[in-house]
Amino acid sequence: METKPQILLLTHGGWGMSLVTGVRMILGSVDFVNEVPLLPEMTLPEYLGKVKAEVEKLPEGSLILTDVFGGTTTNVGAKLGRDFNIKVYSGLNAPMLLEACSQITFTGALNMETVLASGQEAVKDVVEEVMKAMNK
């Protein structure tokens, strides 16, 4: 039996699950997305332990998405990604998550480079983009 990839979100305060709510409005169920929120009362060892327990359950080809590069969530993700050979991308945004969820939903797999590119390409100066479009 083949197991589809999973997505693990690591965010400060748990805001990643709000993005999941939006993705559900578009795709429906995304039961392959989980989160380990970093809460203010957690110590680093406690958070590391909680995330490690979730990472140990991830099937091959899974992905960890974090919020802030250089922050605790990303540093924990980086350590465990290296230890467990799992891709970790920082800079979580809605288009990135939607791309990853769409891929799993429709193909059962992840193209990591496309997920990363979707997140990177999503950042726009809206007024500048609108003005360019109007001038065409």
Side-chain angles (χ1 to χ4, degrees):
M1 180 180 151
E2 212 171 296
T3 304
K4 66 182 168 186
Q6 306 286 301
I7 299 169
L8 181 61
L9 305 179
L10 305 180
T11 65
H12 290 79
W15 63 266
M17 289 312 285
S18 293
L19 289 178
V20 173
T21 299
V23 168
R24 282 188 192 121
M25 290 176 65
I26 298 166
L27 292 178
S29 177
V30 288
D31 59 352
F32 46 82
V33 181
N34 293 300
E35 181 176 35
V36 180
L38 175 60
L39 303 175
E41 64 272 10
M42 288 180 169
T43 64
L44 178 59
E46 180 183 10
Y47 187 64
L48 179 62
K50 286 179 183 274
V51 175
K52 183 178 180 188
E54 291 301 313
V55 169
E56 289 172 337
K57 300 176 199 173
L58 295 176
E60 188 174 326
S62 293
L63 176 63
I64 298 172
L65 298 174
T66 72
D67 55 2
V68 180
F69 185 78
T72 300
T73 54
T74 301
N75 294 340
V76 166
K79 178 193 179 347
L80 294 172
R82 185 190 65 222
D83 293 350
F84 288 87
N85 195 29
I86 295 174
K87 281 282 191 193
V88 180
Y89 292 151
S90 181
L92 173 62
N93 60 41
M96 174 189 278
L97 183 59
L98 184 59
E99 177 65 33
C101 290
S102 294
Q103 288 183 21
I104 293 171
T105 297
F106 299 117
T107 71
L110 280 170
N111 178 314
M112 301 296 183
E113 292 77 24
T114 303
V115 172
L116 181 60
S118 291
Q120 291 172 328
E121 292 167 6
V123 178
K124 305 278 186 198
D125 178 329
V126 177
V127 173
E128 182 179 316
E129 294 296 319
V130 169
M131 296 305 291
K132 281 183 198 174
M134 290 174 61
N135 290 327
K136 285 186 179 181

